[in-house]
PDB file of all heavy atoms in Angstrom:
ATOM      1  N   MET A 300      54.465  68.933 105.787  1.00 76.00           N
ATOM      2  CA  MET A 300      55.386  69.940 105.250  1.00 76.00           C
ATOM      3  C   MET A 300      55.123  71.309 105.891  1.00 76.00           C
ATOM      4  O   MET A 300      53.969  71.653 106.142  1.00 76.00           O
ATOM      5  CB  MET A 300      55.179  70.033 103.730  1.00 76.00           C
ATOM      6  CG  MET A 300      56.301  70.740 103.023  1.00 76.00           C
ATOM      7  SD  MET A 300      55.677  71.889 101.814  1.00 76.00           S
ATOM      8  CE  MET A 300      54.659  70.871 100.796  1.00 76.00           C
ATOM      9  N   LYS A 301      56.212  72.053 106.138  1.00 84.00           N
ATOM     10  CA  LYS A 301      56.068  73.371 106.764  1.00 84.00           C
ATOM     11  C   LYS A 301      55.361  74.314 105.795  1.00 84.00           C
ATOM     12  O   LYS A 301      55.771  74.451 104.642  1.00 84.00           O
ATOM     13  CB  LYS A 301      57.469  73.897 107.097  1.00 84.00           C
ATOM     14  CG  LYS A 301      57.481  75.203 107.872  1.00 84.00           C
ATOM     15  CD  LYS A 301      58.936  75.560 108.231  1.00 84.00           C
ATOM     16  CE  LYS A 301      59.067  76.989 108.711  1.00 84.00           C
ATOM     17  NZ  LYS A 301      58.521  77.255 110.026  1.00 84.00           N
ATOM     18  N   LYS A 302      54.283  74.952 106.268  1.00 93.00           N
ATOM     19  CA  LYS A 302      53.578  75.911 105.408  1.00 93.00           C
ATOM     20  C   LYS A 302      53.890  77.323 105.880  1.00 93.00           C
ATOM     21  O   LYS A 302      53.678  77.659 107.041  1.00 93.00           O
ATOM     22  CB  LYS A 302      52.071  75.652 105.455  1.00 93.00           C
ATOM     23  CG  LYS A 302      51.737  74.330 104.805  1.00 93.00           C
ATOM     24  CD  LYS A 302      50.402  74.343 104.114  1.00 93.00           C
ATOM     25  CE  LYS A 302      50.317  73.133 103.205  1.00 93.00           C
ATOM     26  NZ  LYS A 302      49.063  72.456 103.249  1.00 93.00           N
ATOM     27  N   ILE A 303      54.399  78.101 104.948  1.00 97.00           N
ATOM     28  CA  ILE A 303      54.810  79.470 105.277  1.00 97.00           C
ATOM     29  C   ILE A 303      53.564  80.347 105.435  1.00 97.00           C
ATOM     30  O   ILE A 303      52.684  80.343 104.571  1.00 97.00           O
ATOM     31  CB  ILE A 303      55.714  80.018 104.132  1.00 97.00           C
ATOM     32  CG1 ILE A 303      56.943  79.122 103.943  1.00 97.00           C
ATOM     33  CG2 ILE A 303      56.119  81.464 104.379  1.00 97.00           C
ATOM     34  CD1 ILE A 303      57.852  78.999 105.126  1.00 97.00           C
ATOM     35  N   GLN A 490      66.248  70.158 103.537  1.00 97.00           N
ATOM     36  CA  GLN A 490      65.222  69.657 102.615  1.00 97.00           C
ATOM     37  C   GLN A 490      63.854  70.243 102.960  1.00 97.00           C
ATOM     38  O   GLN A 490      63.085  70.650 102.083  1.00 97.00           O
ATOM     39  CB  GLN A 490      65.179  68.125 102.664  1.00 97.00           C
ATOM     40  CG  GLN A 490      64.330  67.499 101.577  1.00 97.00           C
ATOM     41  CD  GLN A 490      64.781  67.913 100.169  1.00 97.00           C
ATOM     42  OE1 GLN A 490      65.950  67.822  99.821  1.00 97.00           O
ATOM     43  NE2 GLN A 490      63.843  68.415  99.361  1.00 97.00           N
ATOM     44  N   GLU A 491      63.586  70.330 104.273  1.00 97.00           N
ATOM     45  CA  GLU A 491      62.291  70.890 104.701  1.00 97.00           C
ATOM     46  C   GLU A 491      62.165  72.350 104.247  1.00 97.00           C
ATOM     47  O   GLU A 491      61.109  72.780 103.759  1.00 97.00           O
ATOM     48  CB  GLU A 491      62.168  70.805 106.229  1.00 97.00           C
ATOM     49  CG  GLU A 491      60.761  71.092 106.699  1.00 97.00           C
ATOM     50  CD  GLU A 491      60.635  71.140 108.223  1.00 97.00           C
ATOM     51  OE1 GLU A 491      61.542  71.676 108.896  1.00 97.00           O
ATOM     52  OE2 GLU A 491      59.611  70.654 108.729  1.00 97.00           O
ATOM     53  N   ALA A 492      63.254  73.090 104.359  1.00 98.00           N
ATOM     54  CA  ALA A 492      63.235  74.505 103.943  1.00 98.00           C
ATOM     55  C   ALA A 492      63.030  74.623 102.435  1.00 98.00           C
ATOM     56  O   ALA A 492      62.230  75.443 101.953  1.00 98.00           O
ATOM     57  CB  ALA A 492      64.532  75.189 104.367  1.00 98.00           C
ATOM     58  N   LYS A 493      63.748  73.785 101.663  1.00 98.00           N
ATOM     59  CA  LYS A 493      63.607  73.829 100.193  1.00 98.00           C
ATOM     60  C   LYS A 493      62.155  73.499  99.803  1.00 98.00           C
ATOM     61  O   LYS A 493      61.583  74.159  98.934  1.00 98.00           O
ATOM     62  CB  LYS A 493      64.564  72.818  99.534  1.00 98.00           C
ATOM     63  CG  LYS A 493      66.009  73.282  99.507  1.00 98.00           C
ATOM     64  CD  LYS A 493      66.900  72.352  98.692  1.00 98.00           C
ATOM     65  CE  LYS A 493      67.404  71.201  99.516  1.00 98.00           C
ATOM     66  NZ  LYS A 493      68.461  70.400  98.877  1.00 98.00           N
ATOM     67  N   ASP A 494      61.577  72.511 100.469  1.00 98.00           N
ATOM     68  CA  ASP A 494      60.198  72.130 100.144  1.00 98.00           C
ATOM     69  C   ASP A 494      59.214  73.244 100.533  1.00 98.00           C
ATOM     70  O   ASP A 494      58.217  73.466  99.839  1.00 98.00           O
ATOM     71  CB  ASP A 494      59.820  70.816 100.854  1.00 98.00           C
ATOM     72  CG  ASP A 494      60.570  69.630 100.257  1.00 98.00           C
ATOM     73  OD1 ASP A 494      61.103  69.785  99.134  1.00 98.00           O
ATOM     74  OD2 ASP A 494      60.642  68.577 100.908  1.00 98.00           O
ATOM     75  N   ALA A 495      59.503  73.932 101.630  1.00 98.00           N
ATOM     76  CA  ALA A 495      58.611  75.021 102.060  1.00 98.00           C
ATOM     77  C   ALA A 495      58.601  76.143 101.014  1.00 98.00           C
ATOM     78  O   ALA A 495      57.553  76.705 100.682  1.00 98.00           O
ATOM     79  CB  ALA A 495      59.063  75.561 103.416  1.00 98.00           C
ATOM     80  N   LEU A 496      59.781  76.443 100.463  1.00 98.00           N
ATOM     81  CA  LEU A 496      59.840  77.497  99.437  1.00 98.00           C
ATOM     82  C   LEU A 496      59.226  76.993  98.119  1.00 98.00           C
ATOM     83  O   LEU A 496      58.515  77.744  97.435  1.00 98.00           O
ATOM     84  CB  LEU A 496      61.292  77.958  99.238  1.00 98.00           C
ATOM     85  CG  LEU A 496      61.523  79.083  98.234  1.00 98.00           C
ATOM     86  CD1 LEU A 496      60.646  80.314  98.520  1.00 98.00           C
ATOM     87  CD2 LEU A 496      62.992  79.508  98.212  1.00 98.00           C
ATOM     88  N   SER A 497      59.473  75.730  97.793  1.00 98.00           N
ATOM     89  CA  SER A 497      58.857  75.156  96.581  1.00 98.00           C
ATOM     90  C   SER A 497      57.343  75.298  96.676  1.00 98.00           C
ATOM     91  O   SER A 497      56.677  75.675  95.703  1.00 98.00           O
ATOM     92  CB  SER A 497      59.193  73.669  96.437  1.00 98.00           C
ATOM     93  OG  SER A 497      60.547  73.499  96.217  1.00 98.00           O
ATOM     94  N   TRP A 498      56.806  74.997  97.850  1.00 98.00           N
ATOM     95  CA  TRP A 498      55.353  75.057  98.057  1.00 98.00           C
ATOM     96  C   TRP A 498      54.802  76.460  97.726  1.00 98.00           C
ATOM     97  O   TRP A 498      53.719  76.582  97.139  1.00 98.00           O
ATOM     98  CB  TRP A 498      55.040  74.675  99.515  1.00 98.00           C
ATOM     99  CG  TRP A 498      53.617  74.868  99.913  1.00 98.00           C
ATOM    100  CD1 TRP A 498      52.562  74.041  99.637  1.00 98.00           C
ATOM    101  CD2 TRP A 498      53.075  75.975 100.650  1.00 98.00           C
ATOM    102  NE1 TRP A 498      51.397  74.573 100.160  1.00 98.00           N
ATOM    103  CE2 TRP A 498      51.691  75.748 100.791  1.00 98.00           C
ATOM    104  CE3 TRP A 498      53.630  77.128 101.219  1.00 98.00           C
ATOM    105  CZ2 TRP A 498      50.851  76.645 101.462  1.00 98.00           C
ATOM    106  CZ3 TRP A 498      52.803  78.007 101.891  1.00 98.00           C
ATOM    107  CH2 TRP A 498      51.423  77.760 102.000  1.00 98.00           C
ATOM    108  N   VAL A 499      55.548  77.495  98.065  1.00 98.00           N
ATOM    109  CA  VAL A 499      55.096  78.865  97.756  1.00 98.00           C
ATOM    110  C   VAL A 499      54.931  79.008  96.232  1.00 98.00           C
ATOM    111  O   VAL A 499      53.888  79.439  95.738  1.00 98.00           O
ATOM    112  CB  VAL A 499      56.105  79.926  98.285  1.00 98.00           C
ATOM    113  CG1 VAL A 499      55.733  81.334  97.806  1.00 98.00           C
ATOM    114  CG2 VAL A 499      56.190  79.883  99.819  1.00 98.00           C
ATOM    115  N   GLU A 501      54.652  76.657  94.031  1.00 98.00           N
ATOM    116  CA  GLU A 501      53.690  75.690  93.454  1.00 98.00           C
ATOM    117  C   GLU A 501      52.260  76.232  93.452  1.00 98.00           C
ATOM    118  O   GLU A 501      51.380  75.650  92.829  1.00 98.00           O
ATOM    119  CB  GLU A 501      53.740  74.366  94.236  1.00 98.00           C
ATOM    120  CG  GLU A 501      54.917  73.493  93.820  1.00 98.00           C
ATOM    121  CD  GLU A 501      55.165  72.360  94.815  1.00 98.00           C
ATOM    122  OE1 GLU A 501      54.186  71.855  95.393  1.00 98.00           O
ATOM    123  OE2 GLU A 501      56.341  72.020  95.016  1.00 98.00           O
ATOM    124  N   LYS A 506      55.220  71.854  89.275  1.00 97.00           N
ATOM    125  CA  LYS A 506      56.323  71.324  90.101  1.00 97.00           C
ATOM    126  C   LYS A 506      57.583  71.037  89.262  1.00 97.00           C
ATOM    127  O   LYS A 506      58.709  71.227  89.728  1.00 97.00           O
ATOM    128  CB  LYS A 506      55.843  70.031  90.766  1.00 97.00           C
ATOM    129  CG  LYS A 506      56.233  69.920  92.204  1.00 97.00           C
ATOM    130  CD  LYS A 506      55.656  68.671  92.822  1.00 97.00           C
ATOM    131  CE  LYS A 506      56.300  68.532  94.201  1.00 97.00           C
ATOM    132  NZ  LYS A 506      55.549  67.777  95.116  1.00 97.00           N
TER     133      LYS A 506
END
Side-chain angles (χ1 to χ4, degrees):
M300 196 224 304
K301 185 176 167 72
K302 292 213 165 137
I303 302 299
Q490 190 57 51
E491 192 185 39
K493 284 188 274 191
D494 290 343
L496 182 53
S497 294
W498 172 79
V499 173
E501 280 166 34
K506 223 176 171 156

